[in-house]
Amino acid sequence: MKTSLIDARRQPGYFHYYKVQWYDTRSLCWREVQRRFPTKAEALSQAAQVAPPQTQTRLVEVHRDRRIPL
């Protein structure tokens, strides 16, 4: 799908948003929870509920051209 077509379907203000990631000790990598949060505060408050129990979590700020782990 072309980027212009994707951009036409998105609402204004789509980027930037936050995602929660949790550390998978078996695979030794960060796995992402497939849920988007509009604010950092909302992502932090929901991190314990959306990630598996007893795992380390972190936030990622997603922009159009990059992702920034916080």
Side-chain angles (χ1 to χ4, degrees):
M1 200 177 250
K2 295 194 177 234
T3 306
S4 59
L5 180 60
I6 293 170
D7 288 341
R9 294 188 326 190
R10 289 188 177 138
Q11 300 106 4
Y14 185 80
F15 290 104
H16 72 283
Y17 58 88
Y18 298 90
K19 298 279 255 181
V20 175
Q21 291 183 340
W22 59 277
Y23 193 72
D24 184 356
T25 55
R26 181 177 293 179
S27 301
L28 301 176
C29 66
W30 288 98
R31 298 205 179 253
E32 196 163 87
V33 174
Q34 297 301 312
R35 187 163 171 204
R36 178 182 174 273
F37 297 98
T39 64
K40 187 187 300 186
E42 188 176 338
L44 283 172
S45 68
Q46 294 290 317
Q49 286 83 22
V50 297
Q54 306 297 321
T55 57
Q56 182 181 0
T57 60
R58 73 176 182 183
L59 293 184
V60 176
E61 186 175 32
V62 180
H63 294 266
R64 181 173 182 74
D65 57 347
R66 67 189 182 281
R67 293 169 161 258
I68 303 168
L70 303 177

